[in-house]
Amino acid sequence: DTAVSQTPKYLVTQMGNDKSIKCEQNLGHDTMYWYKQDSKKFLKIMFSYNNKELIINETVPNRFSPKSPDKAHLNLHINSLELGDSAVYFCASSPSGVGAFFGQGTRLTVV
Amino acid sequence: RKEVEQDPGPFNVPEGATVAFNCTYSNSASQSFFWYRQDCRKEPKLLMSVYSSGNEDGRFTAQLNRASQYISLLIRDSKLSDSATYLCVVNVMGTYKYIFGTGTRLKVLA
């Protein structure tokens, strides 16, 4: 009965590949997020969707494309992976104004 | 200037000590404030919201000073299990964005 679940937990891939990370929440929240935590541990927002509509897009390279098929799912597709994309990617959801609840993270390593 | 700033630490304190962290934010339109805890290689978890009048949850007390644009977290009677990174989080009015500070690392020593 995990609240926010994302897959895979670990992802190791070569430069230039395309990969996807999936996220699902069973909390009934309207808003979902993707955050990136880099090697310096800084957690930075990338995207947010509210009821399947993109509401935040924080100057992320267009190689990153989020997709929300319904309000319980928010996936992240990354094209042409680069070494600098290596990080931990966290999915989160929020009922608005009361904080966000995070998935366990996907540790992406690009080699 | 970062939108949310914290002293990265580490704060090394003995068990039983009282420790306090501060966090400053730059956007005066910020309306909601939170403290999160993140353990090594884990996801951030909501520790507590911060209310204007200050609030307490067991050994943890959070305060907000809107005039000076800072929030604080006080931990009393520190336990070894309190060792973690504490993240200050701000939500700006009219946005869905939760902005994280860089975190303050706490190590409680036996």
Side-chain angles (χ1 to χ4, degrees):
Chain A
D1 58 350
T2 306
V4 182
S5 60
Q6 50 183 114
T7 55
K9 192 170 179 182
Y10 299 97
L11 185 53
V12 181
T13 188
Q14 290 187 322
M15 276 196 304
N17 283 352
D18 303 339
K19 290 292 178 186
S20 291
I21 309 171
K22 296 188 175 184
C23 179
E24 175 181 5
Q25 54 99 0
N26 62 5
L27 298 167
H29 294 164
D30 288 338
T31 310
M32 294 185 73
Y33 303 83
W34 280 110
Y35 279 82
K36 177 180 180 180
Q37 189 167 44
D38 58 26
S39 56
K40 294 183 180 174
K41 307 300 181 190
F42 181 53
L43 203 61
K44 186 169 167 44
I45 190 167
M46 300 172 69
F47 301 104
S48 178
Y49 273 73
N50 182 261
N51 275 318
K52 301 194 297 175
E53 183 183 338
L54 181 66
I55 54 171
I56 297 173
N57 183 343
E58 289 283 305
T59 55
V60 179
N62 58 16
R63 297 182 295 104
F64 291 78
S65 52
K67 279 195 172 50
S68 182
D70 55 62
K71 77 171 196 178
H73 295 84
L74 179 61
N75 303 323
L76 183 66
H77 187 76
I78 316 170
N79 288 328
S80 303
L81 277 153
E82 300 177 358
L83 291 176
D85 297 332
S86 296
V88 182
Y89 292 84
F90 286 101
C91 176
S93 73
S94 173
S96 182
V98 296
F101 298 86
F102 286 79
Q104 79 273 33
T106 296
R107 188 170 295 272
L108 171 66
T109 304
V110 182
V111 297
Chain B
R1 184 186 170 187
K2 283 196 168 66
E3 292 180 90
V4 180
E5 295 207 61
Q6 298 181 249
D7 180 342
F11 284 55
N12 296 325
V13 302
E15 264 186 298
T18 295
V19 61
F21 311 130
N22 284 335
C23 161
T24 58
Y25 59 94
S26 60
N27 192 332
S28 59
S30 300
Q31 68 170 4
S32 303
F33 308 89
F34 309 89
W35 282 102
Y36 276 70
R37 170 194 171 127
Q38 187 173 23
D39 292 285
C40 189
R41 301 180 78 86
K42 297 285 188 182
E43 72 272 24
K45 290 184 177 173
L46 179 62
L47 181 65
M48 59 196 301
S49 301
V50 187
Y51 303 119
S52 296
S53 53
N55 49 298
E56 192 174 301
D57 183 1
R59 297 181 294 109
F60 298 83
T61 301
Q63 298 274 359
L64 167 64
N65 184 320
R66 285 191 187 272
S68 302
Q69 295 186 194
Y70 79 81
I71 69 174
S72 63
L73 177 68
L74 182 80
I75 306 175
R76 287 182 299 280
D77 189 23
S78 299
K79 312 287 184 198
L80 293 175
S81 57
D82 293 334
S83 297
T85 296
Y86 290 84
L87 299 158
C88 171
V89 182
V90 165
N91 171 245
V92 175
M93 189 185 303
T95 79
Y96 290 87
K97 197 188 295 189
Y98 291 97
I99 303 167
F100 281 73
T102 48
T104 297
R105 196 160 165 220
L106 172 66
K107 288 184 184 179
V108 181
L109 307 171

